[in-house]
Amino acid sequence: MAVPAAADRKRRPILLSLSLFLLLSALLVLLFLFLGPSAQSLSFLPSRLSSTTPLPVPPRHQQQSPTPIPTPASSSDPQPNAPASSSIAEEEEKADASTPDVPSTVTVAGGSGTTDPSRPVDHTSDALRPADADVKDDDDDDDDGAVARVRWETCKVRRGVSSPADYIPCLDNIRAIKALRSRKHMEHRERHCPAPPPRCLVRTPAGYRLPVPWPQSRDMIWYDNVPHPKLVEYKKDQKWVTKSGDYLVFPGGGTQFKDGVGRYIQFVEQIMPTIQWGIQTRTVLDVGCGVASFGGYLLDRNVITMSLAPKDEHEAQIQFALERGIPAFLGVIGTQKLPFPDNAFDVVHCARCRVRWYQNGGKPLLELNRVLRPGGFFVWSATPVYREERRDQDDWNAMVTLTKSICWRTVVKSQDINGIGVVIYQKPASNSCYLERKPNEPHLCSEKDGSRFPWYAPLDSCILPTAVSSSDETNNSPLLWPERLVRYTSVPYDSVTAEKFDADTKYWKQVMSDIHSSDFPVNWSSVRNVMDMNAGYGGFAAALVDQPLWVMNVVPIGQPDTLPVIFSRGLIGVYHDWCESFNTYPRTYDVLHMSDLLGSLTKRCDILEVAAEIDRILRPGRWFMLKDTMDMIKKMRPVLRSLHYETVVVKRQYLVATKSFWRPLASRS
């Protein structure tokens, strides 16, 4: 019995060595399969994404490696101007079936009054790591289908929000609004953002479908996309908007547009030829814009209008405007400055807007004076201009006193054939009139009046002085359109150089030319509303100016203040902090473009909160374009996949994500 035991002991080392050899061989095979595919093994991928032609090298301040990356293409654009091919519920089921089943370790919830201000922001939690993060090589850029471990829920809004499908976190914070001490100066229409920002998804209206394409959308939109009939009834005799079958129709009327907005625009130019729509006048601010027909019709004259109105009892007027494909923004002249730079707009317009310009010490009109460029015009069409009632005349006399005190010159006062009156004022182009006033009230703004930056800043009680002397007034006149788009013009306190401006313009022109000429996974023919989330000098928007679309240029808080340059070249935009929600309704943009911002942004707020806001703004079936480093792309891509977005990486520079119709089913009421 001892002999077999001895033989067995001799065989054990051999068997153990063989077992270890087989185990190591299996591990090497697995590592080769998952972490080291050769270039030949990727030869089946589509040629459009395996091209060796790099995108243009960005200017030095934003350079990245242009090395191409082969990535499978998976996005396609649904047919524009057609109902969704299936119901939203069916789309959700398809998305659920097509998305990898990942363990859910975090519940992402939120909404007005439901977030926990004490919740810590964790930028490195396991919830944001891909499902296979433990085995994924950080240097492996290949598409492995990683999805972040996140359980998304729809936003649970507090009672008092008009519609959960229209939720705007910073304007629908009911708890903060109820706690206000006063609403005298429209404080309840200003921003009151929940802290921390909500990490939830806004539900989609029943029957939602892809928007009517431009230019048809200027005159008609799907009712189910913006199912708000209140304005139809409230303004039924003034031709703002009517309902016709499945559509809301916009006849181009308005309270002051008795013969239509087109005739009104023509009348203004007749009484004031120097306004020169689309040549001398390029940028307009329309205060109290209604459904934005004024701005919509000015687009035919190469004028771009920032249509502005609060989220108020007229219900969804800005949402109507954006659904129509017209530039619009939610805002109010209350106690804080508008998020626009000084001297921004060529013309400010108000047709029957309900603003008492002389109240609160004249601060509302001083705010218009701040954002109106020197030599610019204020077009005011309101009952005090032409009615004889006591209240109207009191308003008119107060306006006469105030405009005189800030040196506005009355250029023309006239009435059209319907008796609708218009007065046009001009802001002085120099400081000479201000210095000659007696008394000197309101006083000229100085350093003691506080920062000039308008983000969450109180309204001025002073006059913004111009930056030129009386002998140099012509320098305040902008270049004519379209020359101003491509020629750099210095603005006060500007650190930009002509070389940087030209390099940025050339770079984005080449990038967009390459994108349009290649099989880039965005159907630009169905794009109307575009937002550049980190606009820089506006080069991205300038490169798209000949396309049938418009761009909202956003200059983020904490980035160089380039918004004055953007306005000087005849484009529009706003300041914003992307750690908060944007002043727009859900589902209002076709393309969101973010360039070289995500890294600095996620140092202050969580990537889930950024993704939730992107999802809120973006229309279903449309695109988010992230231009950034591969490290940032790797962080954002799994999060977007957890939202059931289809994602494609292009040339190691762009992550293009297509939003689906998916919404979380479990949290629906």
Side-chain angles (χ1 to χ4, degrees):
M1 297 297 293
V3 174
D8 186 54
R9 284 194 298 270
K10 291 179 180 180
R11 286 194 299 268
R12 284 177 183 174
I14 298 173
L15 292 173
L16 181 60
S17 299
L18 181 61
S19 299
L20 288 173
F21 174 77
L22 293 174
L23 180 60
L24 288 172
S25 299
L27 288 173
L28 287 172
V29 171
L30 288 173
L31 287 171
F32 174 79
L33 290 175
F34 285 98
L35 300 180
S38 64
Q40 288 80 5
S41 67
L42 299 175
S43 60
F44 64 92
L45 294 177
S47 60
R48 69 173 181 174
L49 298 181
S50 58
S51 169
T52 57
T53 304
L55 291 175
V57 178
R60 182 171 298 176
H61 67 279
Q62 55 179 1
Q63 273 191 11
Q64 297 177 15
S65 170
T67 308
I69 177 172
T71 312
S74 58
S75 72
S76 59
D77 179 46
Q79 290 296 320
N81 197 30
S85 59
S86 58
S87 67
I88 294 174
E90 290 171 342
E91 291 286 348
E92 291 168 347
E93 291 173 3
K94 292 177 183 177
D96 285 331
S98 63
T99 302
D101 187 13
V102 192
S104 298
T105 60
V106 173
T107 298
V108 180
S112 179
T114 64
T115 53
D116 180 7
S118 65
R119 185 187 69 191
V121 177
D122 181 8
H123 301 284
T124 58
S125 68
D126 290 338
L128 300 185
R129 294 171 185 158
D132 57 346
D134 293 336
V135 298
K136 181 174 172 61
D137 187 343
D138 288 339
D139 294 328
D140 181 10
D141 299 336
D142 301 321
D143 182 7
D144 62 358
V147 182
R149 295 186 179 113
V150 181
R151 180 183 296 141
W152 294 99
E153 294 184 356
T154 52
C155 299
K156 300 175 179 65
V157 301
R158 293 175 65 90
R159 183 176 299 175
V161 177
S162 58
S163 169
D166 297 337
Y167 177 50
I168 306 173
C170 291
L171 299 182
D172 287 331
N173 191 346
I174 303 301
R175 177 177 293 172
I177 292 172
K178 287 183 176 179
L180 291 173
R181 295 183 177 181
S182 171
R183 299 189 180 190
K184 182 178 180 181
H185 300 299
M186 301 291 285
E187 292 91 340
H188 57 300
R189 304 298 185 196
E190 296 179 325
R191 293 173 60 82
H192 304 281
C193 297
R199 304 178 179 184
C200 58
L201 307 182
V202 177
R203 63 185 61 186
T204 307
Y208 182 89
R209 61 183 82 189
L210 295 176
V212 175
W214 183 266
Q216 293 92 334
S217 63
R218 189 193 72 173
D219 302 322
M220 58 193 302
I221 62 176
W222 296 113
Y223 173 78
D224 286 342
N225 287 12
V226 193
H228 297 298
K230 187 174 181 179
L231 196 61
V232 174
E233 179 63 25
Y234 187 69
K235 297 290 186 181
K236 62 183 178 181
D237 297 327
Q238 298 178 14
K239 298 181 181 180
W240 283 34
V241 55
T242 61
K243 189 174 185 299
S244 177
D246 293 336
Y247 297 95
L248 290 171
V249 179
F250 301 87
T255 308
Q256 300 295 97
F257 312 145
K258 300 296 185 182
D259 291 328
V261 66
R263 291 289 297 274
Y264 173 84
I265 291 170
Q266 185 179 18
F267 169 70
V268 171
E269 192 167 36
Q270 286 174 348
I271 63 174
M272 181 68 186
T274 55
I275 210 164
Q276 290 185 291
W277 299 123
I279 302 174
Q280 184 71 39
T281 297
R282 165 63 182 176
T283 57
V284 174
L285 176 65
D286 187 17
V287 180
C289 63
V291 296
S293 290
F294 180 74
Y297 279 72
L298 276 175
L299 288 167
D300 292 339
R301 295 171 175 255
N302 284 325
V303 175
I304 188 162
T305 303
M306 182 75 80
S307 296
L308 179 79
K311 186 178 183 182
D312 65 359
E313 65 273 12
H314 276 175
E315 192 178 31
Q317 52 189 334
I318 292 296
Q319 193 175 20
F320 284 151
L322 289 163
E323 185 71 15
R324 297 172 70 186
I326 300 171
F329 182 76
L330 283 162
V332 63
I333 303 177
T335 67
Q336 298 174 352
K337 294 180 181 180
L338 297 171
F340 310 126
D342 300 342
N343 307 320
F345 295 96
D346 301 328
V347 167
V348 176
H349 173 258
C350 161
R352 202 79 173 267
C353 56
R354 296 180 300 170
V355 181
R356 297 291 181 85
W357 301 110
Y358 52 84
Q359 287 189 341
N360 195 16
K363 288 183 179 180
L365 196 68
L366 287 172
E367 177 63 1
L368 288 195
N369 184 76
R370 181 186 73 83
V371 300
L372 183 62
R373 69 163 175 82
F377 300 102
F378 176 48
V379 181
W380 189 37
S381 175
T383 55
V385 179
Y386 58 94
R387 286 187 179 173
E388 300 296 331
E389 285 80 357
R390 176 64 180 273
R391 179 178 176 179
D392 288 317
Q393 287 304 299
D394 288 345
D395 288 345
W396 172 254
N397 292 332
M399 192 68 166
V400 168
T401 301
L402 181 57
T403 54
K404 184 178 179 180
S405 72
I406 63 174
C407 292
W408 280 14
R409 180 173 67 93
T410 302
V411 180
V412 62
K413 181 182 178 184
S414 183
Q415 294 186 16
D416 66 12
I417 58 174
N418 296 302
I420 300 298
V422 176
V423 61
I424 301 178
Y425 301 98
Q426 186 174 29
K427 177 180 174 178
S430 74
N431 294 321
S432 57
C433 175
Y434 302 142
L435 300 176
E436 294 169 0
R437 291 174 307 152
K438 294 182 180 180
N440 186 29
E441 290 293 336
H443 65 277
L444 291 178
C445 298
S446 62
E447 291 184 2
K448 68 179 182 180
D449 292 300
S451 171
R452 298 298 320 151
F453 196 68
W455 187 246
Y456 286 123
L459 293 179
D460 287 331
S461 57
C462 56
I463 301 175
L464 176 69
T466 65
V468 299
S469 64
S470 57
S471 61
D472 198 23
E473 291 186 11
T474 56
N475 284 354
N476 266 327
S477 299
L479 296 172
L480 302 181
W481 180 262
E483 183 183 4
R484 64 193 288 188
L485 179 70
V486 295
R487 277 190 55 187
Y488 170 68
T489 304
S490 63
V491 294
Y493 316 111
D494 179 22
S495 61
V496 182
T497 64
E499 291 75 16
K500 289 181 180 179
F501 178 91
D502 292 339
D504 185 76
T505 300
K506 181 179 179 180
Y507 167 71
W508 283 112
K509 184 177 181 179
Q510 185 178 349
V511 167
M512 298 314 298
S513 176
D514 291 347
I515 285 175
H516 277 286
S517 62
S518 65
D519 195 10
F520 200 76
V522 172
N523 183 357
W524 291 97
S525 65
S526 62
V527 170
R528 176 60 189 169
N529 301 350
V530 179
M531 178 184 290
D532 191 353
M533 301 172 71
N534 185 23
Y537 308 137
F540 176 79
L544 292 169
V545 75
D546 292 328
Q547 303 296 322
L549 52 80
W550 65 275
V551 180
M552 176 72 81
N553 294 281
V554 180
V555 172
I557 304 305
Q559 298 296 307
D561 182 10
T562 54
L563 198 53
V565 176
I566 289 172
F567 272 94
S568 73
R569 63 191 306 183
L571 304 171
I572 59 171
V574 296
Y575 296 107
H576 183 62
D577 183 353
W578 284 115
C579 288
E580 301 177 357
S581 77
F582 192 78
N583 274 22
T584 193
Y585 284 90
R587 305 170 304 279
T588 45
Y589 283 86
D590 297 305
V591 169
L592 299 181
H593 176 262
M594 180 189 286
S595 176
D596 305 308
L597 176 66
L598 193 59
S600 61
L601 184 61
T602 50
K603 291 178 182 177
R604 299 190 299 109
C605 51
D606 198 284
I607 198 170
L608 290 180
E609 296 157 356
V610 177
E613 180 62 6
I614 288 170
D615 182 84
R616 189 185 71 86
I617 294 174
L618 195 60
R619 288 170 167 170
R622 298 303 190 239
W623 301 275
F624 170 59
M625 298 167 55
L626 174 65
K627 179 189 173 295
D628 218 308
T629 63
M630 278 306 303
D631 183 55
M632 289 296 105
I633 287 174
K634 287 180 185 179
K635 291 180 180 180
M636 178 59 90
R637 193 177 193 185
V639 175
L640 295 175
R641 280 182 168 151
S642 74
L643 291 164
H644 298 255
Y645 284 35
E646 295 180 357
T647 62
V648 176
V649 178
V650 182
K651 302 182 186 301
R652 294 181 64 90
Q653 289 192 40
Y654 266 111
L655 170 64
V656 182
T658 308
K659 179 178 176 179
S660 73
F661 280 78
W662 175 80
R663 294 287 90 175
L665 288 172
S667 60
R668 281 191 169 183
S669 56

